[in-house]
Amino acid sequence: MKILSMEVFIHQDPERGDVILSRKSETWGSFLVALKNAKAPANFLNKKERNQGVQKRDPFKDWHE
């Protein structure tokens, strides 16, 4: 038996609700092109949303070995 291993992106179509699997690219080229051509709304992450403050917490608080 041959086992195929592949990484995929999973997203859901917002209009139809379909779940879509897309093969993960071997390089960053296609991602960078998609990022460059992406159209974000003018109010996407406005100044208030970007300023979320600083959280002080111990990342090992509940760590047990």
Side-chain angles (χ1 to χ4, degrees):
M1 175 170 53
K2 184 176 181 179
I3 298 174
L4 177 64
S5 176
M6 165 186 349
E7 291 187 54
V8 296
F9 292 109
I10 303 171
H11 66 278
Q12 186 174 24
D13 183 292
E15 293 178 17
R16 296 183 48 147
D18 295 338
V19 175
I20 302 166
L21 301 177
S22 303
R23 182 181 293 223
K24 185 176 175 184
S25 177
E26 297 289 328
T27 67
W28 284 89
S30 60
F31 171 75
L32 295 175
V33 169
L35 186 61
K36 180 179 178 183
N37 295 326
K39 304 283 189 266
N43 66 347
F44 179 73
L45 289 180
N46 63 35
K47 188 173 183 176
K48 182 179 178 183
E49 291 170 317
R50 288 191 307 261
N51 184 13
Q52 296 185 14
V54 177
Q55 294 183 7
K56 293 185 179 184
R57 56 185 169 160
D58 181 0
F60 302 107
K61 177 182 169 197
D62 296 318
W63 176 264
H64 303 285
E65 279 196 39

